[in-house]
Amino acid sequence: MSHSNNLDSPERSEQASDASSIVQGLSNTAQTIGGSLQAMQQALVGNMQQAAQMTLSMNKMMEELVKRSVQVSVFAQRSEASRGVGTHLRLAIHNRSPIPLLQTRVKLWFCARQQQDQGNSVQLRVKNVAVKDTTGGLVFGQTDGELLAGLVDEGAPFAQTERTTDVGNGATVETEVAVEVDALVQMNGRISVEFLSPGTGQILTVSHRFGIHLLQLLDCSFAGKKSALLTPYNELHAITSDPRISIDIARARTAFAVPPADGIEPDCMFVMRSKDNTLALRVICILEDTHDVLCDFVASDPESDLAAMRLQLSEELGKSNNA
């Protein structure tokens, strides 16, 4: 009688064991490769993010460097106005960075420092006088409008250049604009210089604030006590309704261009002329133990109301004036 044998031979069991080991080995290898690829992918993404962050940081640093290298200056000087009173603003933009400023545009804001009486609006006109650059020009068109009280950081600009221009590295562009108002009023102003970022192409802005004083809107001069210039002003009327004003001698010398050799003594005058009126501060006395002089107002119009002007001139000619 023969019996069937269901047990595998030793050779077949060994082959099955080898196949299982190979499959397990391949599985382990695949897992290892997958883990390595995942780690490489995570490292690559991390490196890319780090590179992007570094590029962003470098762009910000470069933008800040360029902005800090842009010097904006505004100088006001009294000028003849076709109406009312006016001043010329000489605007200068100096690029001290090694990178040119591309597509540069200049904007101007103005506002009155004091709120005007209801119904007494002040009209403002801004127009170009001269262009002093070789790169295409900072050219303003003529702009007319009402001068409002408020903040120069609010609202749309009052005037801006008609076209953009490039400012080369190390270059300076200048222009001169006339600012005319139909009433004597102190103003605040802001100039904004906009240009393209060399890294991102976004618009960068550099701003500078400035003030326009009454003395920059008036024709100011000095008439010494023994000067022939004093004679025509002896006919001015005293404004008795306004109290006397104390002014700083050093500031008065600068504002009224008093010659160094001329002394300031009683009866000399600090003269301020506009198209419609002539005003003067007549020296009454020099205050002891101070560097101030006490003055009263005289004017060609005896009905002049100088209460507001007195306060503003006290601000501009006093020791506490930091405007």
Side-chain angles (χ1 to χ4, degrees):
M1 176 182 289
S2 63
H3 299 279
S4 60
N5 188 2
N6 293 328
L7 297 177
D8 292 335
S9 64
E11 292 81 1
R12 294 183 61 183
S13 296
E14 186 177 348
Q15 290 176 358
S17 178
D18 291 343
S20 177
S21 299
I22 292 172
V23 171
Q24 184 63 42
L26 290 174
S27 177
N28 292 339
T29 302
Q31 289 180 358
T32 302
I33 294 174
S36 299
L37 291 175
Q38 185 177 11
M40 291 175 60
Q41 184 180 21
Q42 291 175 346
L44 180 60
V45 171
N47 290 337
M48 292 177 64
Q49 291 176 342
Q50 187 176 13
Q53 186 64 38
M54 185 177 298
T55 301
L56 181 61
S57 298
M58 291 181 63
N59 279 334
K60 288 184 176 180
M61 290 177 59
M62 181 169 56
E63 289 176 351
E64 190 64 27
L65 174 64
V66 173
K67 289 170 65 175
R68 289 178 179 272
S69 300
V70 177
Q71 181 178 357
V72 181
S73 61
V74 180
F75 178 76
Q77 185 174 17
R78 191 263 173 190
S79 66
E80 293 290 339
S82 58
R83 62 180 186 184
V85 291
T87 188
H88 280 186
L89 296 181
R90 188 168 70 241
L91 313 177
I93 302 168
H94 179 43
N95 178 18
R96 298 177 296 175
S97 78
I99 300 173
L101 309 181
L102 302 180
Q103 298 185 30
T104 304
R105 185 180 297 277
V106 179
K107 299 179 180 180
L108 293 171
W109 285 259
F110 298 94
C111 72
R113 289 191 186 180
Q114 292 83 24
Q115 187 72 42
Q116 303 303 305
D117 295 335
Q118 188 173 5
N120 295 334
S121 64
V122 177
Q123 296 299 308
L124 171 66
R125 170 182 294 173
V126 176
K127 60 182 180 180
N128 227 108
V129 176
V131 178
K132 299 178 181 179
D133 69 275
T134 59
T135 62
L138 297 174
V139 180
F140 289 86
Q142 180 170 310
T143 306
D144 294 79
E146 183 178 354
L147 179 66
L148 302 175
L151 300 175
V152 290
D153 294 320
E154 298 177 349
F158 187 87
Q160 62 181 352
T161 48
E162 295 182 330
R163 61 177 182 266
T164 61
T165 188
D166 295 341
V167 184
N169 54 305
T172 299
V173 293
E174 294 182 327
T175 192
E176 194 167 319
V177 296
V179 178
E180 300 177 355
V181 285
D182 60 3
L184 199 57
V185 58
Q186 290 176 319
M187 289 179 278
N188 288 329
R190 179 166 68 94
I191 179 173
S192 171
V193 180
E194 298 179 351
F195 52 92
L196 295 184
S197 164
T200 64
Q202 300 296 314
I203 294 178
L204 302 180
T205 302
V206 176
S207 293
H208 173 73
R209 289 173 177 78
F210 58 91
I212 298 177
H213 301 164
L214 295 185
L215 295 174
Q216 293 167 327
L217 298 170
L218 294 165
D219 183 10
C220 299
S221 60
F222 174 73
K225 182 178 180 179
K226 299 178 181 179
S227 171
L229 297 174
L230 185 64
T231 303
Y233 303 123
N234 286 329
E235 304 300 322
L236 297 177
H237 304 276
I239 309 299
T240 57
S241 60
D242 289 294
R244 293 172 175 178
I245 177 176
S246 174
I247 63 175
D248 180 66
I249 293 177
R251 290 188 180 277
R253 279 189 173 275
T254 299
F256 293 89
V258 180
D262 286 7
I264 295 176
E265 53 188 333
D267 294 329
C268 66
M269 293 190 187
F270 300 104
V271 182
M272 298 162 283
R273 292 187 299 271
S274 66
K275 185 174 295 185
D276 303 322
N277 199 1
T278 298
L279 311 171
L281 293 170
R282 181 174 56 193
V283 176
I284 302 300
C285 65
I286 298 176
L287 301 177
E288 296 183 4
D289 300 325
T290 71
H291 295 284
D292 293 352
V293 291
L294 188 65
C295 306
D296 63 0
F297 277 107
V298 293
S300 57
D301 180 4
E303 303 300 323
S304 298
D305 182 6
L306 304 179
M309 177 179 284
R310 176 186 174 278
L311 294 175
Q312 294 166 13
L313 288 176
S314 295
E315 174 193 332
E316 294 182 16
L317 292 172
K319 287 186 175 66
S320 61
N321 175 28
N322 296 316

